[in-house]
Amino acid sequence: MSRLCTVLVLAAWLVASAAAADFVIENASRRINLKNTWAKAIDTIQAKNTAGSDLSNFVVCYPGSLAPRIAVLKVLIKKEKQDVKALEQAPQGAPAGVSCHQATFKSPVKAGATIEFDVVATVTGVFKPNPAKIGQGQKQYVEYYDNLYLLSPYEVTEQSSTVLLPTSDVRSYSPQDGASKSGSKVSYTQLGRQAPWALQQLKVHFHHDKPFKRVRAAAAAAAARVCTQEGGMLRVGAAADARFTAHS
């Protein structure tokens, strides 16, 4: 490895290692919207600058199961976009597979001050059909997996997670401890204090009322701007039984 490469890697490691000491997240409210054929996770974060100087950078992270499928990632302060770039290396202590981005605020956060902002991730191809095949007229059930907690290099003092579903027909969800279901919403309102990199799998198995069939990628992208093209087609949902023909 060249001396320049060594210096760059060391600099990246130092920045990543320092991230967890910069902020404490005083409150994180997660809203995971699964009403469409893609997922949209909106994290409203209140973070306090606990460093001894002004800060402009904040690190946001996602598990390996979701990170490669993020089509759009935005960090907003009062609906104003902040600069976001991918980090080549996750902060020290990150679980395997975690990918992170660095948001740069347009106005630095003063030492001791608190900032509130939204992190909005639109994620495609995250629904697993279960059952994998359905017949004509049968309901389409899918599974969604995520992390129950905000996956973050920062300590989180208070947080909650809410999953918004397209229908109230939910076969199962886990964990059940601390959860409440009301109609098409599953809520975890008091997740409490968590150390950096808190992990617990969130799983929801539910009826999705949107058509999960073959959709032309160009049409889907024009309608939603969040589709991933695979050979000219976007394949989602359970395979159609031979008794009827899927749309093309």
Side-chain angles (χ1 to χ4, degrees):
M1 181 182 293
S2 69
R3 183 176 179 181
L4 176 59
C5 290
T6 302
V7 171
L8 291 175
V9 169
L10 178 60
W13 183 85
L14 290 173
V15 170
S17 300
D22 292 343
F23 284 98
V24 169
I25 297 176
E26 296 183 326
N27 187 276
S29 175
R30 304 197 67 214
R31 300 185 303 284
I32 305 170
N33 189 332
L34 306 180
K35 293 184 177 183
N36 293 294
T37 53
W38 61 88
K40 177 174 284 189
I42 303 175
D43 301 328
T44 298
I45 295 173
Q46 296 175 359
K48 183 176 182 179
N49 178 355
T50 56
S53 58
D54 296 355
L55 296 174
S56 297
N57 297 326
F58 189 94
V59 177
V60 297
C61 301
Y62 293 89
S65 59
L66 297 181
R69 301 179 181 274
I70 295 177
V72 180
L73 179 62
K74 297 184 290 186
V75 174
L76 307 172
I77 298 178
K78 296 180 179 179
K79 298 183 178 181
E80 183 180 8
K81 291 182 181 180
Q82 310 299 300
D83 293 333
V84 179
K85 68 176 182 180
L87 290 177
E88 294 185 2
Q89 183 176 354
Q92 187 179 21
V98 168
S99 294
C100 300
H101 291 72
Q102 179 176 275
T104 299
F105 302 129
K106 294 185 177 181
S107 297
V109 183
K110 300 293 184 181
T114 299
I115 186 171
E116 180 173 326
F117 55 95
D118 292 325
V119 181
V120 183
T122 303
V123 194
T124 64
V126 291
F127 296 128
K128 178 183 177 181
N130 184 7
K133 293 184 178 181
I134 57 173
Q136 187 174 13
Q138 290 184 313
K139 287 184 176 181
Q140 166 74 78
Y141 287 89
V142 298
E143 294 175 343
Y144 174 79
Y145 297 85
D146 202 332
N147 193 46
L148 176 64
Y149 305 112
L150 180 73
L151 187 58
S152 176
Y154 310 107
E155 179 184 355
V156 182
T157 305
E158 295 182 2
Q159 61 182 305
S160 62
S161 292
T162 301
V163 183
L164 305 175
L165 302 165
T167 74
S168 60
D169 186 355
V170 180
R171 285 190 170 180
S172 66
Y173 55 89
S174 63
Q176 293 194 344
D177 289 347
S180 63
K181 180 182 178 297
S182 177
S184 60
K185 180 169 67 174
V186 177
S187 302
Y188 299 84
T189 57
Q190 295 182 347
L191 293 177
R193 182 185 295 272
Q194 297 294 330
W197 308 120
L199 289 174
Q200 183 168 359
Q201 185 183 77
L202 169 67
K203 175 185 175 182
V204 188
H205 187 195
F206 61 98
H207 168 225
H208 209 307
D209 61 352
K210 297 294 188 296
F212 279 79
K213 300 175 183 178
R214 287 191 174 194
V215 182
R216 293 195 182 279
R225 298 183 185 277
V226 293
C227 293
T228 302
Q229 189 171 355
E230 294 178 359
M233 304 294 292
L234 178 70
R235 186 184 293 273
V236 291
D241 189 282
R243 288 173 291 177
F244 74 101
T245 303
H247 295 310
S248 60

